[in-house]
Structures are given as structure tokens and as C-alpha cells.
Amino acid sequence: MIIGQDIQQEGNKIILTNHIDDTLLRQQNYEEKKLVGRGFTPDKKLRKFGSVTPALIQADPLLREGLQAELNGDASWADRCYRLFFRLNPEYRCSEGGI
């Protein structure tokens, strides 16, 4: 959730900074990780390894780049961006094990 914004002007540039509060999301991810462990579905075909919000996607450069790569059809680069994000930010993980 965005809790505040700062707008600064530097010459011809306008810089918007969003301040988010993701405490509830991080707590939910932690609780889910305790319940599901490795996070596989019963048929072992899928695993949820993390959860983020749209506000976090706007705020984090790795998530923005991953989304842009996905939209451009570059699934490999998007995958690398998302994996790096979750390695650097384990508090958003919903399951244990490798990414």
C-alpha cells in the first residue's frame, strides 16, 4: 500500500517517489511459508515461491524491469530479474527451497 509520495523537480525532470508499507504482505508471506514449507501443489507441478503487490512492482527496479521484459516477450530476462529480486529480498518468499 502506498502511504505517501514525494515530488521533486530537478531542472526539467520531475521525480516522484512512492513510500509503501508492506508490513502486512511480509507477515502473510512468513505465515504462508511456515504452513506450506516447500510450497508445491499436491500434484507437484507448481510452486508458489513469493508474493508481491502492484505498489511494490512500481517501487522496485528489478520487479519493474522483470515486468517490462515479460511484456516484451523476453521470459528469460524476466525470470532472471524475478529470481534476483527474491534472492535479495527473502522476506517476500512464501516457500523454502531453491528459486
Side-chain angles (χ1 to χ4, degrees):
M1 165 174 45
I2 296 176
I3 58 172
Q5 294 181 321
D6 292 328
I7 298 176
Q8 298 174 350
Q9 186 169 358
E10 293 180 3
N12 293 336
K13 289 185 188 180
I14 295 177
I15 301 170
L16 172 66
T17 304
N18 290 328
H19 302 278
I20 62 172
D21 179 11
D22 60 354
T23 307
L24 181 60
L25 172 67
R26 288 184 288 127
Q27 176 144 9
Q28 288 170 340
N29 288 348
Y30 175 75
E31 294 298 325
E32 188 172 346
K33 188 189 295 187
K34 285 192 323 188
L35 290 175
V36 300
R38 298 187 75 73
F40 284 100
T41 58
D43 60 2
K44 303 287 186 198
K45 291 186 178 180
L46 295 172
R47 178 173 57 169
K48 179 180 177 184
F49 59 85
S51 183
V52 297
T53 62
L56 187 58
I57 292 171
Q58 290 177 349
D60 189 88
L62 274 173
L63 292 176
R64 279 196 318 264
E65 184 161 345
L67 178 60
Q68 189 60 51
E70 225 177 308
L71 295 173
N72 291 336
D74 190 353
S76 175
W77 184 249
D79 186 53
R80 290 180 71 181
C81 291
Y82 297 145
R83 286 174 186 264
L84 181 56
F85 171 81
F86 283 108
R87 278 193 199 108
L88 295 174
N89 302 283
E91 64 271 20
Y92 296 105
R93 298 280 310 268
C94 293
S95 66
E96 298 176 9
I99 296 175

Coordinates of all heavy atoms in Angstrom, one line a residue:
M1 N 0.8 -1.2 0.0 CA 0.0 0.0 0.0 C 0.9 1.2 0.0 O 1.8 1.3 0.8 CB -0.9 0.0 1.2 CG -1.5 1.3 1.5 SD -2.8 1.3 2.9 CE -2.0 0.4 4.2
I2 N 0.6 2.2 -0.9 CA 1.3 3.5 -0.9 C 0.8 4.3 0.2 O -0.4 4.6 0.3 CB 1.1 4.2 -2.3 CG1 1.7 3.3 -3.4 CG2 1.8 5.5 -2.3 CD1 1.5 3.8 -4.8
I3 N 1.8 4.8 1.1 CA 1.4 5.6 2.2 C 1.8 7.0 2.1 O 1.4 7.9 2.9 CB 1.9 5.0 3.6 CG1 3.5 4.9 3.5 CG2 1.3 3.7 3.9 CD1 4.1 4.6 4.8
G4 N 2.5 7.3 1.1 CA 2.9 8.7 0.8 C 3.7 8.9 -0.4 O 4.2 7.9 -1.0
Q5 N 3.8 10.1 -0.9 CA 4.5 10.4 -2.1 C 5.3 11.7 -2.0 O 4.8 12.6 -1.3 CB 3.6 10.5 -3.3 CG 2.9 9.2 -3.7 CD 2.0 9.4 -4.9 OE1 1.4 10.4 -5.1 NE2 2.0 8.4 -5.8
D6 N 6.5 11.7 -2.6 CA 7.3 13.0 -2.6 C 7.5 13.3 -4.1 O 7.8 12.5 -4.9 CB 8.7 12.8 -2.0 CG 8.6 12.6 -0.5 OD1 7.7 13.1 0.2 OD2 9.5 11.8 0.0
I7 N 7.3 14.6 -4.4 CA 7.5 15.1 -5.7 C 8.6 16.1 -5.7 O 8.6 17.1 -4.9 CB 6.2 15.7 -6.3 CG1 5.2 14.6 -6.4 CG2 6.5 16.3 -7.7 CD1 3.8 15.1 -6.9
Q8 N 9.7 15.9 -6.5 CA 10.8 16.9 -6.5 C 11.0 17.3 -8.0 O 10.8 16.5 -8.9 CB 12.1 16.2 -6.0 CG 12.0 15.8 -4.6 CD 13.2 15.0 -4.1 OE1 14.1 14.7 -5.0 NE2 13.4 14.8 -2.8
Q9 N 11.4 18.5 -8.2 CA 11.7 18.9 -9.5 C 13.2 19.3 -9.6 O 13.7 20.1 -8.8 CB 10.9 20.1 -9.9 CG 11.1 20.6 -11.4 CD 10.1 21.6 -11.8 OE1 9.2 21.9 -11.1 NE2 10.2 22.0 -13.0
E10 N 13.9 18.7 -10.6 CA 15.3 19.0 -10.8 C 15.5 19.4 -12.2 O 15.5 18.6 -13.2 CB 16.2 17.7 -10.5 CG 16.2 17.3 -9.1 CD 17.1 16.1 -8.8 OE1 17.7 15.6 -9.8 OE2 17.1 15.6 -7.7
G11 N 15.5 20.7 -12.5 CA 15.6 21.2 -13.9 C 14.3 20.8 -14.6 O 13.2 21.2 -14.2
N12 N 14.4 20.1 -15.7 CA 13.3 19.7 -16.5 C 12.7 18.4 -16.1 O 11.7 17.9 -16.6 CB 13.7 19.6 -18.0 CG 14.0 21.0 -18.6 OD1 13.5 22.0 -18.1 ND2 14.8 21.0 -19.6
K13 N 13.3 17.7 -15.1 CA 12.8 16.4 -14.6 C 11.9 16.6 -13.4 O 12.1 17.5 -12.5 CB 14.0 15.6 -14.1 CG 14.8 15.1 -15.2 CD 15.8 14.1 -14.5 CE 16.9 13.7 -15.4 NZ 17.8 12.8 -14.8
I14 N 10.9 15.8 -13.3 CA 10.0 15.6 -12.1 C 10.2 14.2 -11.6 O 10.1 13.3 -12.3 CB 8.6 15.9 -12.4 CG1 8.4 17.4 -12.9 CG2 7.7 15.6 -11.2 CD1 7.0 17.7 -13.3
I15 N 10.6 14.1 -10.3 CA 10.9 12.8 -9.7 C 9.8 12.6 -8.7 O 9.6 13.3 -7.7 CB 12.3 12.8 -9.0 CG1 13.4 13.1 -10.1 CG2 12.5 11.5 -8.3 CD1 14.7 13.4 -9.5
L16 N 9.1 11.4 -8.9 CA 8.1 11.0 -8.0 C 8.6 9.8 -7.2 O 9.0 8.8 -7.8 CB 6.8 10.6 -8.7 CG 5.7 10.0 -7.9 CD1 5.1 11.0 -6.9 CD2 4.6 9.4 -8.8
T17 N 8.5 9.9 -5.9 CA 9.0 8.8 -5.0 C 7.8 8.3 -4.2 O 7.1 9.1 -3.5 CB 10.1 9.3 -4.0 OG1 11.1 9.9 -4.8 CG2 10.6 8.1 -3.2
N18 N 7.5 7.0 -4.3 CA 6.4 6.4 -3.6 C 6.9 5.8 -2.3 O 8.0 5.1 -2.4 CB 5.6 5.4 -4.4 CG 4.8 5.9 -5.5 OD1 4.3 7.0 -5.4 ND2 4.7 5.2 -6.6
H19 N 6.3 6.0 -1.2 CA 6.6 5.3 0.0 C 5.5 4.3 0.3 O 4.3 4.6 0.3 CB 6.7 6.3 1.2 CG 7.6 7.4 1.0 ND1 9.0 7.3 1.2 CD2 7.5 8.7 0.5 CE1 9.6 8.4 0.9 NE2 8.7 9.3 0.4
I20 N 6.0 3.0 0.5 CA 5.0 2.0 0.7 C 5.1 1.3 2.0 O 6.2 1.3 2.6 CB 5.1 0.9 -0.4 CG1 6.5 0.2 -0.4 CG2 4.8 1.5 -1.8 CD1 6.6 -1.0 -1.3
D21 N 4.0 0.7 2.5 CA 4.0 0.0 3.7 C 3.6 -1.5 3.4 O 2.5 -1.7 3.0 CB 3.1 0.5 4.8 CG 3.1 -0.3 6.1 OD1 3.9 -1.1 6.2 OD2 2.2 0.0 6.9
D22 N 4.6 -2.4 3.4 CA 4.3 -3.8 3.0 C 4.4 -4.7 4.2 O 4.6 -5.9 4.0 CB 5.2 -4.2 1.9 CG 6.7 -4.1 2.2 OD1 7.0 -3.6 3.3 OD2 7.5 -4.5 1.4
T23 N 4.3 -4.2 5.4 CA 4.4 -5.0 6.6 C 3.4 -6.2 6.6 O 3.8 -7.3 6.9 CB 4.1 -4.1 7.8 OG1 5.0 -3.0 7.8 CG2 4.4 -4.9 9.1
L24 N 2.2 -5.9 6.2 CA 1.1 -7.0 6.2 C 1.5 -8.1 5.2 O 1.4 -9.2 5.5 CB -0.2 -6.4 5.9 CG -1.4 -7.4 5.9 CD1 -1.5 -8.1 7.3 CD2 -2.7 -6.7 5.5
L25 N 1.9 -7.7 4.0 CA 2.3 -8.6 3.0 C 3.5 -9.5 3.5 O 3.4 -10.7 3.3 CB 2.7 -7.9 1.7 CG 3.3 -8.8 0.6 CD1 2.3 -9.8 0.1 CD2 3.9 -8.0 -0.5
R26 N 4.5 -8.9 4.0 CA 5.6 -9.7 4.5 C 5.2 -10.6 5.6 O 5.7 -11.8 5.7 CB 6.8 -8.8 5.0 CG 7.4 -8.1 3.8 CD 8.6 -7.2 4.2 NE 8.2 -6.0 4.8 CZ 8.6 -5.6 6.0 NH1 9.5 -6.2 6.7 NH2 8.1 -4.5 6.5
Q27 N 4.3 -10.2 6.5 CA 3.8 -11.1 7.6 C 3.0 -12.3 7.0 O 3.2 -13.4 7.4 CB 3.0 -10.4 8.6 CG 2.4 -11.3 9.6 CD 2.3 -10.7 11.0 OE1 2.5 -9.5 11.1 NE2 2.0 -11.5 11.9
Q28 N 2.2 -12.0 6.0 CA 1.4 -13.0 5.3 C 2.3 -14.0 4.6 O 2.1 -15.2 4.7 CB 0.4 -12.4 4.3 CG -0.7 -11.7 5.0 CD -1.6 -10.9 3.9 OE1 -1.1 -10.6 2.8 NE2 -2.8 -10.6 4.3
N29 N 3.3 -13.6 4.0 CA 4.3 -14.4 3.3 C 5.0 -15.3 4.3 O 5.2 -16.5 4.1 CB 5.3 -13.7 2.5 CG 4.7 -13.0 1.3 OD1 3.6 -13.3 0.9 ND2 5.4 -12.1 0.6
Y30 N 5.4 -14.8 5.5 CA 6.1 -15.5 6.5 C 5.1 -16.6 7.0 O 5.6 -17.8 7.2 CB 6.5 -14.6 7.6 CG 7.1 -15.3 8.8 CD1 8.4 -15.8 8.7 CD2 6.4 -15.5 10.0 CE1 8.9 -16.5 9.8 CE2 6.9 -16.1 11.1 CZ 8.2 -16.6 11.0 OH 8.8 -17.3 12.0
E31 N 3.9 -16.3 7.3 CA 2.9 -17.3 7.8 C 2.7 -18.4 6.8 O 2.6 -19.6 7.1 CB 1.6 -16.6 8.2 CG 1.7 -15.6 9.3 CD 2.1 -16.3 10.6 OE1 1.8 -17.5 10.9 OE2 2.8 -15.6 11.4
E32 N 2.6 -18.0 5.5 CA 2.4 -19.0 4.5 C 3.6 -19.9 4.4 O 3.4 -21.1 4.2 CB 2.1 -18.3 3.1 CG 1.7 -19.3 2.0 CD 1.3 -18.5 0.8 OE1 1.0 -17.3 0.8 OE2 1.2 -19.2 -0.3
K33 N 4.8 -19.4 4.5 CA 6.0 -20.2 4.4 C 6.0 -21.2 5.5 O 6.4 -22.3 5.3 CB 7.2 -19.3 4.5 CG 8.5 -20.0 4.3 CD 9.8 -19.2 4.5 CE 9.9 -18.1 3.7 NZ 11.2 -17.4 3.9
K34 N 5.6 -20.8 6.7 CA 5.5 -21.8 7.9 C 4.5 -22.9 7.6 O 4.8 -24.0 7.9 CB 5.1 -21.1 9.2 CG 6.2 -20.2 9.7 CD 6.0 -19.7 11.2 CE 4.6 -19.4 11.5 NZ 4.4 -18.8 12.8
L35 N 3.4 -22.6 6.9 CA 2.4 -23.6 6.6 C 2.7 -24.5 5.5 O 2.5 -25.7 5.6 CB 1.1 -22.9 6.3 CG 0.4 -22.2 7.5 CD1 -0.9 -21.5 7.0 CD2 0.0 -23.2 8.5
V36 N 3.3 -24.0 4.4 CA 3.4 -24.8 3.2 C 4.8 -25.4 3.0 O 5.0 -26.2 2.1 CB 3.0 -24.1 1.9 CG1 1.6 -23.6 2.0 CG2 3.9 -22.9 1.7
G37 N 5.8 -24.9 3.8 CA 7.2 -25.4 3.6 C 7.8 -25.2 2.3 O 8.0 -24.0 1.9
R38 N 7.9 -26.2 1.4 CA 8.5 -26.1 0.1 C 7.5 -25.5 -0.9 O 7.9 -25.1 -2.0 CB 9.1 -27.4 -0.3 CG 10.2 -27.8 0.6 CD 11.0 -29.0 0.2 NE 11.9 -28.7 -0.9 CZ 13.1 -28.0 -0.9 NH1 13.4 -27.5 0.3 NH2 13.8 -27.9 -1.9
G39 N 6.2 -25.4 -0.6 CA 5.2 -24.7 -1.4 C 4.7 -25.4 -2.6 O 4.1 -24.7 -3.4
F40 N 4.9 -26.7 -2.8 CA 4.4 -27.4 -4.0 C 2.9 -27.6 -3.9 O 2.4 -27.9 -2.8 CB 5.1 -28.7 -4.2 CG 6.5 -28.6 -4.7 CD1 7.6 -28.7 -3.9 CD2 6.8 -28.3 -6.1 CE1 8.9 -28.5 -4.4 CE2 8.0 -28.2 -6.6 CZ 9.1 -28.3 -5.7
T41 N 2.3 -27.6 -5.1 CA 0.9 -28.0 -5.2 C 0.8 -29.5 -5.0 O 1.9 -30.2 -5.1 CB 0.3 -27.6 -6.5 OG1 1.1 -28.2 -7.5 CG2 0.2 -26.1 -6.7
P42 N -0.3 -30.1 -4.6 CA -0.4 -31.5 -4.4 C 0.1 -32.4 -5.6 O 0.7 -33.5 -5.4 CB -1.9 -31.8 -4.1 CG -2.4 -30.5 -3.6 CD -1.6 -29.4 -4.3
D43 N -0.1 -31.9 -6.8 CA 0.4 -32.7 -8.0 C 1.8 -32.4 -8.3 O 2.4 -33.0 -9.3 CB -0.5 -32.4 -9.2 CG -0.5 -30.9 -9.6 OD1 0.2 -30.1 -9.0 OD2 -1.2 -30.6 -10.6
K44 N 2.5 -31.6 -7.5 CA 3.9 -31.3 -7.6 C 4.3 -30.6 -8.9 O 5.5 -30.7 -9.4 CB 4.8 -32.6 -7.5 CG 4.6 -33.3 -6.2 CD 5.2 -32.6 -5.0 CE 5.1 -33.4 -3.8 NZ 5.3 -32.7 -2.6
K45 N 3.4 -30.0 -9.6 CA 3.7 -29.3 -10.9 C 4.0 -27.8 -10.7 O 4.7 -27.2 -11.6 CB 2.5 -29.5 -11.8 CG 2.3 -30.9 -12.3 CD 1.3 -31.0 -13.4 CE 1.2 -32.5 -13.8 NZ 0.2 -32.6 -14.9
L46 N 3.5 -27.2 -9.7 CA 3.7 -25.8 -9.5 C 4.2 -25.5 -8.0 O 3.9 -26.3 -7.1 CB 2.4 -25.0 -9.7 CG 1.8 -25.0 -11.1 CD1 0.5 -24.3 -11.1 CD2 2.7 -24.2 -12.0
R47 N 4.9 -24.4 -7.9 CA 5.3 -24.0 -6.6 C 5.2 -22.5 -6.5 O 5.8 -21.8 -7.3 CB 6.7 -24.4 -6.2 CG 7.1 -23.9 -4.8 CD 8.4 -24.5 -4.4 NE 9.5 -24.2 -5.4 CZ 10.8 -24.3 -5.1 NH1 11.1 -24.9 -4.0 NH2 11.6 -24.0 -6.0
K48 N 4.5 -22.0 -5.5 CA 4.5 -20.5 -5.3 C 5.7 -20.2 -4.4 O 5.8 -20.7 -3.3 CB 3.2 -20.1 -4.6 CG 3.1 -18.7 -4.3 CD 1.8 -18.3 -3.6 CE 1.7 -16.9 -3.2 NZ 0.5 -16.6 -2.4
F49 N 6.6 -19.3 -4.9 CA 7.8 -19.0 -4.1 C 7.8 -17.6 -3.6 O 8.6 -17.3 -2.8 CB 9.1 -19.4 -4.9 CG 9.2 -18.6 -6.1 CD1 9.8 -17.3 -6.2 CD2 8.9 -19.2 -7.3 CE1 10.0 -16.7 -7.3 CE2 9.0 -18.5 -8.5 CZ 9.6 -17.2 -8.5
G50 N 6.8 -16.8 -4.0 CA 6.8 -15.4 -3.5 C 5.6 -14.7 -3.8 O 4.8 -15.1 -4.7
S51 N 5.4 -13.5 -3.2 CA 4.2 -12.7 -3.4 C 4.6 -11.3 -3.3 O 5.3 -10.9 -2.3 CB 3.1 -13.1 -2.4 OG 2.0 -12.4 -2.6
V52 N 4.2 -10.4 -4.2 CA 4.4 -9.0 -4.2 C 3.1 -8.3 -4.5 O 2.2 -8.9 -5.1 CB 5.6 -8.6 -5.2 CG1 6.9 -9.2 -4.8 CG2 5.2 -8.9 -6.6
T53 N 3.1 -7.0 -4.3 CA 1.9 -6.2 -4.6 C 2.2 -5.3 -5.8 O 3.4 -5.0 -6.1 CB 1.6 -5.3 -3.4 OG1 2.7 -4.4 -3.2 CG2 1.3 -6.1 -2.2
P54 N 1.2 -4.7 -6.5 CA 1.4 -3.8 -7.6 C 2.2 -2.6 -7.1 O 3.1 -2.1 -7.9 CB 0.0 -3.4 -8.0 CG -0.8 -4.6 -7.6 CD -0.2 -5.1 -6.3
A55 N 2.0 -2.1 -5.9 CA 2.8 -1.0 -5.4 C 4.3 -1.3 -5.3 O 5.1 -0.5 -5.6 CB 2.3 -0.5 -4.1
L56 N 4.6 -2.5 -4.9 CA 6.0 -2.9 -4.8 C 6.6 -3.1 -6.2 O 7.8 -2.7 -6.4 CB 6.1 -4.3 -4.1 CG 7.5 -4.7 -3.7 CD1 8.2 -3.7 -2.9 CD2 7.4 -6.0 -3.0
I57 N 5.8 -3.5 -7.2 CA 6.3 -3.6 -8.6 C 6.7 -2.2 -9.1 O 7.7 -2.0 -9.7 CB 5.3 -4.3 -9.5 CG1 5.2 -5.7 -9.1 CG2 5.7 -4.1 -11.0 CD1 4.0 -6.5 -9.8
Q58 N 5.9 -1.2 -8.7 CA 6.2 0.2 -9.1 C 7.4 0.7 -8.4 O 8.2 1.5 -9.0 CB 5.0 1.1 -8.8 CG 3.8 0.8 -9.7 CD 2.6 1.7 -9.3 OE1 2.7 2.4 -8.2 NE2 1.6 1.8 -10.1
A59 N 7.6 0.3 -7.2 CA 8.7 0.8 -6.3 C 10.0 0.2 -6.6 O 11.1 0.8 -6.4 CB 8.3 0.7 -4.9
D60 N 10.1 -1.1 -7.0 CA 11.3 -1.8 -7.1 C 11.8 -1.9 -8.5 O 11.1 -2.4 -9.4 CB 11.2 -3.2 -6.5 CG 12.5 -3.9 -6.4 OD1 13.2 -3.7 -5.4 OD2 12.9 -4.6 -7.4
P61 N 13.1 -1.5 -8.8 CA 13.6 -1.5 -10.2 C 13.7 -2.9 -10.8 O 13.4 -3.1 -12.0 CB 14.9 -0.8 -10.1 CG 15.2 -0.4 -8.7 CD 14.0 -0.8 -7.9
L62 N 14.0 -3.9 -10.0 CA 14.2 -5.3 -10.5 C 12.8 -5.8 -10.9 O 12.7 -6.5 -12.0 CB 14.8 -6.2 -9.5 CG 16.3 -6.3 -9.4 CD1 16.7 -7.1 -8.2 CD2 16.8 -6.8 -10.7
L63 N 11.8 -5.6 -10.1 CA 10.4 -6.0 -10.5 C 9.9 -5.3 -11.7 O 9.3 -5.9 -12.6 CB 9.5 -5.9 -9.3 CG 9.8 -6.8 -8.1 CD1 8.8 -6.5 -7.0 CD2 9.6 -8.2 -8.5
R64 N 10.2 -4.0 -11.8 CA 9.7 -3.2 -13.0 C 10.4 -3.7 -14.2 O 9.8 -3.9 -15.3 CB 10.1 -1.7 -12.8 CG 9.1 -1.0 -11.9 CD 9.2 0.5 -12.1 NE 10.6 1.0 -12.2 CZ 11.2 1.5 -11.2 NH1 10.7 1.6 -10.0 NH2 12.5 1.9 -11.3
E65 N 11.7 -4.0 -14.1 CA 12.4 -4.5 -15.3 C 12.0 -5.9 -15.7 O 11.8 -6.2 -16.9 CB 13.9 -4.5 -15.0 CG 14.7 -4.9 -16.3 CD 16.2 -4.5 -16.2 OE1 16.6 -3.7 -15.4 OE2 16.9 -5.1 -17.1
G66 N 11.7 -6.7 -14.7 CA 11.2 -8.1 -15.0 C 9.8 -8.0 -15.7 O 9.6 -8.7 -16.7
L67 N 9.0 -7.1 -15.2 CA 7.6 -7.0 -15.8 C 7.8 -6.4 -17.3 O 7.1 -6.9 -18.2 CB 6.8 -6.0 -15.0 CG 5.4 -5.8 -15.6 CD1 4.6 -7.1 -15.7 CD2 4.6 -4.8 -14.7
Q68 N 8.6 -5.5 -17.5 CA 8.8 -4.9 -18.8 C 9.4 -6.0 -19.7 O 9.0 -6.1 -20.9 CB 9.8 -3.7 -18.8 CG 9.9 -3.0 -20.1 CD 8.5 -2.4 -20.5 OE1 7.8 -1.8 -19.7 NE2 8.1 -2.7 -21.7
A69 N 10.3 -6.8 -19.3 CA 10.9 -7.9 -20.1 C 9.8 -8.9 -20.4 O 9.7 -9.4 -21.6 CB 12.0 -8.6 -19.3
E70 N 8.9 -9.2 -19.5 CA 7.8 -10.1 -19.7 C 6.9 -9.5 -20.8 O 6.5 -10.3 -21.7 CB 7.0 -10.3 -18.4 CG 6.6 -11.7 -18.1 CD 5.9 -11.8 -16.8 OE1 6.4 -11.3 -15.8 OE2 4.9 -12.4 -16.8
L71 N 6.6 -8.3 -20.7 CA 5.7 -7.6 -21.7 C 6.3 -7.6 -23.1 O 5.6 -7.6 -24.1 CB 5.3 -6.2 -21.2 CG 4.5 -6.1 -20.0 CD1 4.3 -4.6 -19.5 CD2 3.1 -6.7 -20.2
N72 N 7.7 -7.5 -23.1 CA 8.4 -7.5 -24.4 C 8.6 -8.9 -24.9 O 9.3 -9.1 -26.0 CB 9.7 -6.8 -24.3 CG 9.5 -5.3 -24.0 OD1 8.5 -4.7 -24.4 ND2 10.5 -4.6 -23.4
G73 N 8.2 -9.9 -24.2 CA 8.4 -11.3 -24.7 C 9.7 -12.0 -24.3 O 10.0 -13.0 -24.8
D74 N 10.5 -11.3 -23.4 CA 11.8 -11.9 -23.0 C 11.6 -12.6 -21.7 O 12.0 -12.1 -20.6 CB 12.8 -10.8 -23.0 CG 14.2 -11.3 -22.8 OD1 14.4 -12.5 -22.6 OD2 15.1 -10.4 -22.9
A75 N 11.1 -13.8 -21.7 CA 10.8 -14.5 -20.5 C 12.1 -14.9 -19.7 O 12.1 -14.9 -18.5 CB 10.0 -15.8 -20.8
S76 N 13.2 -15.1 -20.4 CA 14.4 -15.5 -19.8 C 14.9 -14.3 -18.9 O 15.4 -14.5 -17.8 CB 15.5 -15.9 -20.9 OG 16.7 -16.1 -20.3
W77 N 14.9 -13.1 -19.5 CA 15.4 -12.0 -18.7 C 14.5 -11.7 -17.5 O 14.9 -11.3 -16.4 CB 15.6 -10.7 -19.6 CG 16.2 -9.6 -18.8 CD1 15.6 -8.4 -18.5 CD2 17.5 -9.5 -18.3 NE1 16.4 -7.6 -17.8 CE2 17.6 -8.2 -17.6 CE3 18.6 -10.3 -18.3 CZ2 18.8 -7.8 -17.0 CZ3 19.8 -9.9 -17.6 CH2 19.8 -8.7 -17.0
A78 N 13.2 -11.8 -17.8 CA 12.2 -11.6 -16.7 C 12.4 -12.5 -15.6 O 12.4 -12.1 -14.4 CB 10.8 -11.7 -17.2
D79 N 12.7 -13.8 -15.9 CA 12.9 -14.8 -14.9 C 14.2 -14.5 -14.1 O 14.2 -14.6 -12.8 CB 13.1 -16.2 -15.6 CG 13.3 -17.3 -14.6 OD1 12.4 -17.5 -13.7 OD2 14.3 -18.1 -14.7
R80 N 15.2 -14.0 -14.7 CA 16.5 -13.6 -14.0 C 16.2 -12.5 -13.1 O 16.7 -12.5 -11.9 CB 17.5 -13.3 -15.0 CG 18.1 -14.5 -15.8 CD 19.1 -14.1 -16.7 NE 20.3 -13.8 -16.0 CZ 21.5 -13.4 -16.5 NH1 21.6 -13.3 -17.8 NH2 22.5 -13.1 -15.8
C81 N 15.4 -11.5 -13.5 CA 15.1 -10.3 -12.7 C 14.3 -10.8 -11.4 O 14.6 -10.3 -10.3 CB 14.3 -9.3 -13.4 SG 15.2 -8.4 -14.7
Y82 N 13.3 -11.6 -11.6 CA 12.5 -12.0 -10.5 C 13.3 -12.9 -9.5 O 13.2 -12.7 -8.3 CB 11.3 -12.8 -11.0 CG 10.3 -12.0 -11.8 CD1 9.6 -12.6 -12.9 CD2 10.1 -10.7 -11.6 CE1 8.7 -11.9 -13.7 CE2 9.2 -9.9 -12.4 CZ 8.5 -10.5 -13.4 OH 7.7 -9.8 -14.2
R83 N 14.1 -13.8 -10.1 CA 14.9 -14.6 -9.2 C 15.9 -13.8 -8.3 O 16.0 -14.0 -7.1 CB 15.7 -15.6 -10.0 CG 14.9 -16.8 -10.6 CD 15.8 -17.6 -11.5 NE 15.0 -18.6 -12.1 CZ 14.8 -19.9 -11.7 NH1 15.5 -20.3 -10.6 NH2 14.1 -20.8 -12.3
L84 N 16.5 -12.8 -9.0 CA 17.4 -11.9 -8.2 C 16.7 -11.1 -7.2 O 17.1 -11.0 -6.0 CB 18.1 -11.0 -9.2 CG 19.2 -10.0 -8.6 CD1 20.2 -10.8 -7.8 CD2 19.8 -9.2 -9.6
F85 N 15.5 -10.6 -7.5 CA 14.7 -9.9 -6.5 C 14.4 -10.8 -5.3 O 14.6 -10.3 -4.2 CB 13.4 -9.4 -7.1 CG 12.4 -8.9 -6.1 CD1 12.6 -7.6 -5.6 CD2 11.5 -9.6 -5.5 CE1 11.8 -7.0 -4.7 CE2 10.6 -9.1 -4.5 CZ 10.8 -7.8 -4.1
F86 N 14.0 -12.0 -5.5 CA 13.7 -12.9 -4.4 C 14.9 -13.3 -3.6 O 14.8 -13.6 -2.4 CB 12.8 -14.0 -4.8 CG 11.4 -13.6 -5.0 CD1 10.9 -13.6 -6.3 CD2 10.5 -13.3 -4.0 CE1 9.6 -13.2 -6.6 CE2 9.2 -12.9 -4.2 CZ 8.7 -12.8 -5.5
R87 N 16.0 -13.4 -4.3 CA 17.3 -13.7 -3.5 C 17.7 -12.6 -2.6 O 18.2 -12.7 -1.5 CB 18.4 -14.1 -4.5 CG 18.4 -15.5 -5.0 CD 19.7 -15.8 -5.7 NE 19.4 -17.0 -6.5 CZ 19.3 -17.0 -7.8 NH1 19.5 -15.9 -8.5 NH2 19.1 -18.1 -8.5
L88 N 17.5 -11.3 -3.2 CA 17.9 -10.2 -2.4 C 16.9 -9.8 -1.3 O 17.2 -9.1 -0.4 CB 18.1 -9.0 -3.4 CG 19.3 -9.1 -4.4 CD1 19.3 -7.9 -5.3 CD2 20.6 -9.2 -3.6
N89 N 15.7 -10.2 -1.5 CA 14.6 -9.8 -0.6 C 13.8 -11.1 -0.1 O 12.7 -11.3 -0.5 CB 13.6 -8.9 -1.3 CG 14.3 -7.7 -1.8 OD1 14.6 -6.7 -1.0 ND2 14.6 -7.6 -3.1
P90 N 14.4 -11.9 0.7 CA 13.8 -13.2 1.1 C 12.5 -13.0 1.9 O 11.7 -13.9 2.1 CB 14.9 -13.9 1.9 CG 15.8 -12.8 2.4 CD 15.8 -11.7 1.3
E91 N 12.3 -11.8 2.4 CA 11.1 -11.5 3.2 C 9.8 -11.6 2.4 O 8.7 -11.7 2.9 CB 11.1 -10.2 3.9 CG 11.2 -9.0 3.0 CD 12.6 -8.6 2.6 OE1 13.5 -9.4 2.7 OE2 12.7 -7.4 2.2
Y92 N 10.0 -11.6 1.0 CA 8.8 -11.8 0.2 C 8.6 -13.2 -0.3 O 7.7 -13.5 -1.1 CB 8.9 -10.8 -1.1 CG 8.9 -9.4 -0.7 CD1 10.1 -8.6 -0.7 CD2 7.8 -8.8 -0.3 CE1 10.1 -7.3 -0.2 CE2 7.8 -7.4 0.2 CZ 9.0 -6.7 0.1 OH 8.9 -5.4 0.5
R93 N 9.4 -14.1 0.2 CA 9.3 -15.5 -0.2 C 8.1 -16.2 0.6 O 7.9 -15.9 1.7 CB 10.6 -16.3 0.2 CG 11.8 -15.9 -0.5 CD 12.0 -16.4 -1.9 NE 11.8 -17.8 -2.0 CZ 12.7 -18.8 -1.9 NH1 14.0 -18.4 -1.7 NH2 12.4 -20.0 -2.0
C94 N 7.4 -17.1 -0.1 CA 6.3 -17.8 0.5 C 6.6 -19.3 0.7 O 5.8 -20.0 1.2 CB 5.1 -17.7 -0.4 SG 4.4 -16.1 -0.5
S95 N 7.8 -19.7 0.2 CA 8.1 -21.1 0.4 C 9.7 -21.2 0.5 O 10.4 -20.3 0.2 CB 7.7 -22.0 -0.8 OG 8.3 -21.6 -2.0
E96 N 10.1 -22.4 1.0 CA 11.5 -22.6 1.1 C 12.1 -23.4 -0.1 O 11.3 -23.8 -0.9 CB 11.8 -23.4 2.4 CG 11.3 -22.7 3.7 CD 11.4 -23.5 4.9 OE1 12.0 -24.6 4.9 OE2 10.9 -23.0 5.9
G97 N 13.3 -23.5 -0.1 CA 13.9 -24.3 -1.3 C 14.5 -23.3 -2.3 O 14.3 -22.1 -2.2
G98 N 15.0 -23.9 -3.3 CA 15.6 -23.1 -4.4 C 14.6 -22.3 -5.2 O 13.4 -22.7 -5.3
I99 N 15.0 -21.3 -5.9 CA 14.2 -20.5 -6.7 C 14.3 -21.0 -8.1 O 15.4 -21.1 -8.7 CB 14.5 -19.0 -6.6 CG1 14.3 -18.5 -5.2 CG2 13.7 -18.2 -7.6 CD1 14.7 -17.1 -5.0

